[in-house]
Amino acid sequence: MVGERKRLSMDISRSKRRKIQKETVACDESRDFISNIPEELRVEILSYLSTRDAVQTCILSSKWRYTWTLIPEITIKQADFDFPNARSRITRSRLVKFVDVLLYLHDGPIFKFELDTDCNKVDYFPGTFDNWILHLSRRNELRKFSLNIRSMYLYTLPTSLFSCCGLRILQLHNCRIKLPRGFLGFKLMHVLELQNFYISGDDLEKFVSSCPILNELVLKTGRLLVNNPNICAPKLKKLIIHGRFTGLMLKTPCLVKACLDLEDAPVGMNGRANLVEVLGALPEVEVLALHQQFLAYLAVGSLPDRLPVTLNRLRILTLDANLASHEEASVTRLLLLNAPNLQELNLTNSTRDPTLTGTGLWQICSDHLFTSLRVVELYEFFIFEPEIAFLRFILGSSPFLEQLTIVREKDTDAKEKKTVVEILEQIPKISMILKIYFEGTISF
C-alpha cells in the first residue's frame, strides 16, 4: 500500500515536471521566434512605430538591441516626450538628448527626418538644430526634411541644409531663409512648403526656379522683401499662396490646382489687366480658388470684354467676392464665361450693405449656357439685390444644374426664411432637375 502511494506520487511529480518542461520549451520557442525574426522584417516592423517607441524595442532581446539604428525614417514629436506635470523645458531637454543619441548611434541611411517642437528665446538650445542638420547633410541620403518650430521667433536655417542635393520634399515652418552663395538648387525636389517664413523676393524666385521638376508649391503667411514675386515653375501642378505681398507674377503653364490669396492692397501692372496676365499661367488648371484680395488684384487694370485664354479644363471654381463691387463682379463674370466645362461653383459673398444696388453685369446671355454646371454652393448670401441678380444669371443659364445650396453662418429666423423662400421661388429656372437647399430642402 505504501509502495503504491510512492509510485503514484512519483508519477504525479513526473507529469508535473513534464508539464513545466513543455511550458518552458514553449516559452523558449516563443522567445526564439521573436529573436529570430530576420533583420529586414524587424526594421519593417519598427517603421510602423513612432521613433521613440522604436528605440525602446532595444530591451526585447540582444538581436533587437540595435535594430532601431537601421530605421530609415525618423519622426520626432515633442508630444511623445511629454509627461504629466513635467515642465516644458524638461520635456524639450529630453527631446534634445534623445535626438543627440539617436543621430550619434544611427547606423543606416536616413531618408526622412521630421521634427515638430516648440521653443522660445530663453530655453532655446543654441546650435542644436544646426548640428542635427549638419549631421544629416553629411550623410547625403536625405530625401524628405520637415521642420516645424512652433515659436514666436524665426529659426535661421544653416547653409548646410542646401547641400542636401537629394531632397525630394522640403517643409519648413517658422524659418528664416537665406540662400548661400553658389546655390545650385534641388534638382530632384518635387514638393516645397514654406509657412510663416521670411525670405527675400530674389531668393524666393531663385529658390523656386532652381527646382526644375517642382510639382507642388505652398507659400503661407510669408514675409517678403519684394512685394511682387515672380513664380517660375514650368512643371508645377499645385500652387497654394497666402502671403503678405501686393502682387504676383506666375509662369506656371502646367498648373492643375491653384489657391491664391493676398493680404495687402492690390497694385496695377503697367496699365494692363492683372487678370489677363495671371490667366496666361492657368491654361491647364482644373481646380481654382481665389480669395477676395486676389480677386481685387485681378480687377486692377483695363478688363477686356473677352479673355485671350479659355479655361477649358476648369472643373471646380471657388471664389470669395463682393458682388456689389463692379470690379470684382466683372472678374467673376469673365471667369465664369471663360470656363465652358465648369462643373462646380463655390462662392462666398462679402456684400454686407443692403442698400447697395445691382451692378447690371448679370444679364443672361442667350448664346451662352453653363451646360456642364451641376453644383452651386453660395455662402453668406443675404438676398440683397446684387445677389438676386447673380442668382437670376446662374439659374437662368444652367439647364442641367442639379443642386443649389445656400449657407449662412448665423441662424435664420422664420420670417426671414419665408422671405428668402419667396424670392427663390420667383427666380426663373431652366433646369428641370434642380434641388435647392436652404435651411433644409426646398422643392420646386
Side-chain angles (χ1 to χ4, degrees):
M1 201 64 183
V2 174
E4 290 180 358
R5 287 179 180 175
K6 286 184 178 180
R7 281 195 302 273
L8 181 60
S9 176
M10 291 174 65
D11 291 340
I12 293 175
S13 299
R14 289 193 192 98
S15 65
K16 285 183 177 180
R17 284 198 299 271
R18 291 194 193 102
K19 184 177 180 181
I20 293 172
Q21 288 173 355
K22 287 181 180 180
E23 290 177 350
T24 303
V25 169
C27 184
D28 291 341
E29 289 177 351
S30 175
R31 188 177 299 138
D32 289 339
F33 172 75
I34 294 176
S35 300
N36 294 327
I37 293 176
E39 183 178 87
E40 296 81 4
L41 185 55
R42 295 202 303 268
V43 175
E44 178 70 17
I45 292 172
L46 295 188
S47 68
Y48 293 97
L49 303 177
S50 69
T51 301
R52 185 172 181 272
D53 290 341
V55 172
Q56 290 179 333
T57 60
C58 65
I59 65 174
L60 291 177
S61 72
S62 59
K63 290 188 177 181
W64 281 81
R65 184 169 299 164
Y66 298 108
T67 301
W68 64 268
T69 65
L70 302 175
I71 55 177
E73 299 184 353
I74 296 175
T75 300
I76 306 297
K77 296 181 179 179
Q78 185 165 310
D80 293 337
F81 296 85
D82 285 337
F83 291 90
N85 302 322
R87 294 181 180 180
S88 58
R89 183 165 183 169
I90 295 176
T91 299
R92 285 190 286 272
S93 178
R94 290 193 183 111
L95 183 150
V96 169
K97 291 178 181 178
F98 178 87
V99 178
D100 282 342
V101 173
L102 184 146
L103 292 179
Y104 179 75
L105 295 179
H106 198 281
D107 197 35
I110 298 177
F111 298 136
K112 182 179 80 170
F113 185 87
E114 296 181 341
L115 175 63
D116 183 347
T117 184
D118 62 55
C119 62
N120 56 56
K121 206 167 186 178
V122 175
D123 56 10
Y124 172 51
F125 301 89
T128 299
F129 297 161
D130 294 6
N131 292 334
W132 294 346
I133 294 174
L134 178 62
H135 180 88
L136 293 169
S137 67
R138 286 174 173 171
R139 290 171 171 261
N140 201 26
E141 304 154 343
L142 203 60
R143 298 175 185 174
K144 178 179 179 181
F145 182 76
S146 178
L147 181 60
N148 182 16
I149 303 176
R150 290 170 277 106
S151 170
M152 61 184 294
Y153 302 101
L154 294 180
Y155 167 63
T156 301
L157 285 173
T159 57
S160 58
L161 178 66
F162 298 97
S163 65
C164 299
C165 57
L167 275 175
R168 273 77 162 172
I169 301 174
L170 179 61
Q171 298 170 323
L172 302 174
H173 296 220
N174 216 50
C175 292
R176 186 185 303 273
I177 304 165
K178 182 175 176 55
L179 298 183
R181 291 182 179 180
F183 174 64
L184 299 177
F186 296 109
K187 306 305 180 184
L188 301 177
M189 184 172 293
H190 57 86
V191 176
L192 175 60
E193 180 179 320
L194 307 178
Q195 296 196 37
N196 193 32
F197 63 99
Y198 183 89
I199 189 173
S200 71
D202 290 341
D203 274 357
L204 178 64
E205 293 175 5
K206 183 179 179 181
F207 200 166
V208 174
S209 62
S210 299
C211 303
I213 63 171
L214 192 64
N215 183 267
E216 180 178 335
L217 176 62
V218 179
L219 304 175
K220 289 187 177 181
T221 59
R223 287 167 278 182
L224 305 180
L225 294 181
V226 176
N227 281 330
N228 198 12
N230 185 2
I231 304 298
C232 181
K235 302 292 185 180
L236 195 67
K237 292 186 177 180
K238 181 179 178 181
L239 174 64
I240 299 176
I241 291 184
H242 177 91
R244 298 172 184 155
F245 43 88
T246 58
L248 189 63
M249 294 284 289
L250 296 178
K251 295 180 181 179
T252 52
C254 295
L255 203 60
V256 173
K257 182 178 181 181
C259 180
L260 308 176
D261 188 16
L262 303 178
E263 292 185 4
D264 292 335
V267 297
M269 192 182 295
N270 300 323
R272 298 188 61 187
N274 292 347
L275 177 63
V276 175
E277 296 284 348
V278 171
L279 287 188
L282 306 176
E284 302 293 320
V285 71
E286 297 177 6
V287 180
L288 180 62
L290 304 176
H291 292 262
Q292 186 182 3
Q293 282 281 35
F294 198 84
L295 209 65
Y297 165 73
L298 295 180
V300 173
S302 178
L303 291 174
D305 295 330
R306 289 189 174 276
L307 295 175
V309 177
T310 302
L311 303 176
N312 289 315
R313 293 181 175 270
L314 187 60
R315 301 290 186 271
I316 301 175
L317 177 61
T318 300
L319 299 174
D320 183 353
N322 179 1
L323 293 177
S325 164
H326 180 84
E327 292 78 13
E328 293 182 34
S330 297
V331 171
T332 301
R333 183 176 180 276
L334 283 172
L335 288 171
L336 292 174
L337 294 179
N338 281 267
N341 299 309
L342 188 66
Q343 297 175 2
E344 181 179 334
L345 172 64
N346 305 292
L347 192 146
T348 300
N349 178 48
S350 59
T351 303
R352 293 292 182 269
D353 189 351
T355 64
L356 294 173
T357 60
T359 62
L361 293 169
W362 304 111
Q363 300 299 321
I364 297 175
C365 303
S366 58
D367 61 341
H368 187 94
L369 296 176
F370 300 107
T371 56
S372 299
L373 194 59
R374 298 292 185 269
V375 177
V376 175
E377 294 186 357
L378 306 176
Y379 298 87
E380 295 306 295
F381 263 58
F382 293 89
I383 316 300
F384 300 151
E385 190 170 338
E387 302 165 340
I388 296 173
F390 176 79
L391 282 171
R392 288 198 183 102
F393 174 76
I394 290 294
L395 298 180
S397 307
S398 308
F400 303 110
L401 188 64
E402 299 174 0
Q403 177 180 316
L404 169 65
T405 303
I406 298 178
V407 180
R408 295 184 179 182
E409 289 185 0
K410 70 172 187 176
D411 295 332
T412 307
D413 58 39
K415 183 178 179 180
E416 187 178 4
K417 180 179 178 181
K418 182 180 179 181
T419 303
V420 172
V421 171
E422 290 175 351
I423 292 174
L424 292 174
E425 288 176 340
Q426 294 171 5
I427 297 176
K429 311 164 190 65
I430 63 173
S431 174
M432 304 300 293
I433 57 175
L434 177 64
K435 290 184 179 180
I436 299 181
Y437 296 88
F438 174 74
E439 304 288 339
T441 303
I442 304 172
S443 301
F444 294 91

